Amino acid sequence: MISFENVTAIFPRGAGVKDINLRVNSGDFVFIIGPSGAGKSTILRLIYMDIFPDKGKVKVYRYDSSKIKEKEIPLLRRKIGMIFQDFRLLNDRNVYQNVALSLYVSHVKTREIKTRVYEVLNSVGLGHRVHYKPDELSGGEQQRVAIARALVKSPIVLLADEPTGNLDPKVSAELMILLKKINKEGTAIVMATHNYKLIDYIPDARIIQMDKGRIISIS
Amino acid sequence: MTVFFFLIKEGFKGLIRSQYAGLFTIFIISISLILIGLGFVISRDMVFAVQKLKSQFELEVFLKYAATDREIEQFYAMLDSMPEILHASYISPDSAAKRFKKEFGEDIYSILDYNPLPPSFTIELKPIYRNVVSVEGIIANIRKNPIVDEVKYRRNLLLTLEKYQRIIFVIATLVFLFFTFVSIVLVSNSIKMTIFARRELISTLKLIGATNTFVKVPFFIEGALEGIIGAIISCGFFYALTYVANNFFYHFVYYKIQLDLKFYVGLISLGFLFGLIGSLRTVGKFLGKIG
């Protein structure tokens, strides 16, 4: 489903990733761990084709980084769910509207949007918060809205970039339990984090350890 | 249809969210359209006045005393066949004497014993030939006839009118171009500020798989709306101006401002275009830098 073949991507200021080979299959839960600047977020950006390799190629679903056209990138991103440390929710609209936005961009019909948004919000435990604005919610709730927004389009993979970075340990634990449940239901998850403790929540996850832009171990 | 209505709604919401930037753009567009409209009305009415003055313009062709009736008839026929001439009327020496008496109150025969006034023609030209270049050509043609003694016209008046017509045209064009440019640049800047203020929305939309068109369309709608609202305000100004000028000042200046539906439709179309062009040139340029 996702593969990296000898991928090197260097930024003008020097950091990036070098000689990356990896594969993510459907249903996998993959941790990418390592210190800051190890290249974890770069791996995720290469997957959603925000940046492109200088060498090698990345394949996601049926899209190949060496062949993809600019107008196909939105189509790829509709297949990928993304959550971030800073949630990236829009504070000028409520929870329902934030989640529904994902479906509007995919040209889904209004009636279906309504059904799917309520379903996904109930599944992340936010059915009672639909009319709240993000800044009226706690950090954990905001991250769950972000997860709902990512899941509502039934992605093939959920990319999580330090999703617990702004959350306290208790809320982080709740979030990991939620992500485990989502993974058990069939969605592959690739999570970049520097918090090694999170691995304990998913014992059967694959772990890719990175440092200075290179993979130093895969288990 | 869902996406269509969503984008329209986003365009309207965007206008409300843009607050001061949007209000500023609307204000600038309405001021620009008011000045363009005033430029149009002033130049239109001045051109109309100049044309009215020009319509009173005539050529006077004096014939030699020796011209025979047959020669005069042939000359009349020649004038009639000239495409530049709208109307030519013959004034015989007797008619000229009567006109003299009417204008000066004296009988020419009681002063001079004979009638010194030659036969003549007054010629009215078609409007497009009422300019110095055409008139000189027509006179040269007329003078070729041996019975023509002299051709007179008010050359200086014609030159002055032409000069003013040119100045009015140049000023009106410059006013139009300047305010068109100013409006488009300011709409562009306002949309640029709006894009910057909404970079978070744009980058989120791109992350969740929105196409460029999906991201751009609300900005186009917003720009066009700003243009239309600005135009409606300027229409209100002109409606009020016409009402006040024609009802309260007509008796002092004997001048009525006449604005028809086409004028208002023109203003709204211009506002729409200013807003749309302003947003088109900015969104394409700056959207790629976000996301």
Side-chain angles (χ1 to χ4, degrees):
Chain A
M1 189 177 64
I2 298 172
S3 68
F4 280 58
E5 294 170 24
N6 302 315
V7 173
T8 295
I10 305 291
F11 295 120
R13 276 178 287 173
V17 292
K18 285 172 202 151
D19 303 322
I20 303 293
N21 285 290
L22 68 88
R23 185 171 278 278
V24 177
N25 299 314
S26 45
D28 278 358
F29 198 121
V30 179
F31 279 107
I32 303 173
I33 57 168
S36 295
K40 308 182 294 291
S41 297
T42 307
I43 296 282
L44 299 187
R45 289 178 70 192
L46 283 161
I47 295 174
Y48 65 86
M49 299 199 189
D50 187 33
I51 53 170
F52 289 88
D54 297 311
K55 278 187 209 161
K57 61 183 171 185
V58 179
K59 280 185 186 171
V60 183
Y61 186 50
R62 56 189 172 85
Y63 300 99
D64 182 329
S65 65
S66 62
K67 293 177 191 157
I68 193 165
K69 292 174 187 147
E70 204 187 326
K71 63 179 181 184
E72 289 176 321
I73 293 174
L75 304 179
L76 161 74
R77 292 187 185 169
R78 289 175 201 173
K79 293 274 166 203
I80 299 173
M82 283 173 257
I83 55 171
F84 300 90
Q85 181 175 350
D86 56 357
F87 319 129
R88 301 206 188 169
L89 298 172
L90 302 168
N91 284 317
D92 61 347
R93 40 199 96 200
N94 64 29
V95 166
Y96 176 90
Q97 290 163 334
N98 265 283
V99 177
L101 200 57
S102 260
L103 297 176
Y104 277 113
V105 303
S106 305
H107 299 219
V108 177
K109 287 183 180 163
T110 311
R111 197 173 292 172
E112 198 185 333
I113 290 176
K114 209 170 175 181
T115 316
R116 283 170 66 178
V117 171
Y118 277 105
E119 264 175 26
V120 77
L121 283 173
N122 281 325
S123 75
V124 298
L126 284 176
H128 59 301
R129 292 275 200 253
V130 283
H131 300 302
Y132 282 60
K133 294 272 175 69
D135 50 15
E136 295 168 332
L137 302 174
S138 68
E141 285 174 325
Q142 287 190 50
Q143 194 58 290
R144 279 191 280 157
V145 176
I147 291 172
R149 185 180 64 190
L151 290 182
V152 75
K153 54 188 176 179
S154 309
I156 54 167
V157 62
L158 177 65
L159 306 180
D161 193 358
E162 302 280 7
T164 60
N166 277 341
L167 306 176
D168 62 46
K170 186 173 170 280
V171 178
S172 297
E174 285 167 9
L175 187 81
M176 289 309 296
I177 291 163
L178 178 63
L179 290 176
K180 189 176 179 179
K181 183 185 141 209
I182 291 163
N183 179 243
K184 287 278 175 242
E185 285 165 2
T187 309
I189 295 177
V190 179
M191 183 191 290
T193 181
H194 63 269
N195 186 352
Y196 289 75
K197 287 178 191 163
L198 297 179
I199 297 168
D200 298 338
Y201 290 98
I202 322 285
D204 52 350
R206 289 171 54 212
I207 298 156
I208 297 169
Q209 201 166 357
M210 293 189 71
D211 193 25
K212 293 175 187 163
R214 292 181 188 274
I215 293 177
I216 51 174
S217 74
I218 297 183
S219 62
Chain B
M1 258 346 220
T2 298
V3 173
F4 176 75
F5 287 121
F6 177 80
L7 294 176
I8 299 273
K9 221 161 88 180
E10 283 292 303
F12 275 91
K13 276 187 189 168
L15 182 61
I16 295 162
R17 286 183 194 127
S18 66
Q19 293 180 338
Y20 295 116
L23 284 178
F24 180 68
T25 310
I26 290 169
F27 173 73
I28 292 298
I29 289 180
S30 56
I31 294 291
S32 299
L33 289 175
I34 286 170
L35 293 170
I36 288 172
L38 283 175
F40 169 78
V41 171
I42 292 168
S43 55
R44 180 198 66 180
D45 289 358
M46 284 182 77
V47 165
F48 181 70
V50 166
Q51 272 167 354
K52 205 170 173 188
L53 278 173
K54 275 186 162 184
S55 71
Q56 291 159 12
F57 170 81
E58 285 177 341
L59 288 181
E60 282 183 300
V61 181
F62 295 99
L63 305 180
K64 289 175 180 163
Y65 294 100
T68 64
D69 287 350
R70 188 171 165 69
E71 283 172 331
I72 292 171
E73 269 174 37
Q74 282 172 346
F75 181 66
Y76 200 170
M78 185 205 85
L79 292 179
D80 252 357
S81 67
M82 285 175 73
E84 302 94 335
I85 293 174
L86 183 69
H87 180 70
S89 47
Y90 175 63
I91 300 162
S92 67
D94 284 345
S95 312
K98 279 179 195 162
R99 193 188 271 186
F100 183 87
K101 192 177 178 184
K102 202 175 163 189
E103 284 179 16
F104 299 101
E106 298 245 25
D107 188 346
I108 193 97
Y109 293 101
S110 64
I111 305 167
L112 288 170
D113 289 343
Y114 73 99
N115 182 1
L117 301 169
S120 66
F121 280 90
T122 55
I123 295 170
E124 209 182 310
L125 297 175
K126 287 180 182 167
I128 55 162
Y129 298 108
R130 289 172 196 158
N131 59 70
V132 174
V133 177
S134 305
V135 168
E136 294 290 346
I138 294 162
I139 289 173
N141 209 7
I142 290 172
R143 276 203 178 121
K144 282 180 195 160
N145 195 306
I147 66 162
V148 172
D149 186 30
E150 195 182 4
V151 183
K152 282 187 174 173
Y153 76 101
R154 295 170 74 186
R155 190 170 191 274
N156 286 341
L157 173 72
L158 198 59
L159 277 172
T160 310
L161 291 178
E162 276 179 22
K163 194 174 116 191
Y164 281 117
Q165 205 168 1
R166 262 200 307 275
I167 291 171
I168 293 165
F169 178 74
V170 170
I171 291 174
T173 309
L174 288 177
V175 165
F176 178 78
L177 291 178
F178 177 74
F179 286 103
T180 299
F181 176 75
V182 167
S183 295
I184 291 173
V185 167
L186 287 168
V187 172
S188 300
N189 279 336
S190 160
I191 297 281
K192 209 188 291 178
M193 284 192 278
T194 311
I195 289 177
F196 185 73
R198 267 180 258 157
R199 59 195 182 283
E200 203 182 314
L201 168 69
I202 294 167
S203 84
T204 302
L205 282 172
K206 286 188 170 182
L207 276 179
I208 61 177
T211 57
N212 273 343
T213 310
F214 190 96
V215 179
K216 284 176 186 176
V217 168
F219 288 105
F220 298 153
I221 294 170
E222 194 177 324
L225 276 175
E226 286 171 347
I228 291 170
I229 296 170
I232 290 170
I233 293 171
S234 69
C235 285
F237 168 84
F238 279 105
Y239 188 82
L241 178 76
T242 310
Y243 182 82
V244 171
N246 293 353
N247 286 294
F248 300 108
F249 293 102
Y250 177 71
H251 299 295
F252 301 108
V253 290
Y254 295 103
Y255 167 72
K256 265 194 172 182
I257 303 172
Q258 286 175 333
L259 301 175
D260 55 8
L261 187 65
K262 276 187 209 160
F263 175 81
Y264 291 109
V265 171
L267 277 186
I268 290 178
S269 310
L270 265 185
F272 171 77
L273 281 178
F274 286 179
L276 193 64
I277 295 170
S279 54
L280 276 173
R281 70 187 280 273
T282 316
V283 172
K285 209 164 154 187
F286 292 92
L287 213 57
K289 296 181 181 173
I290 298 165

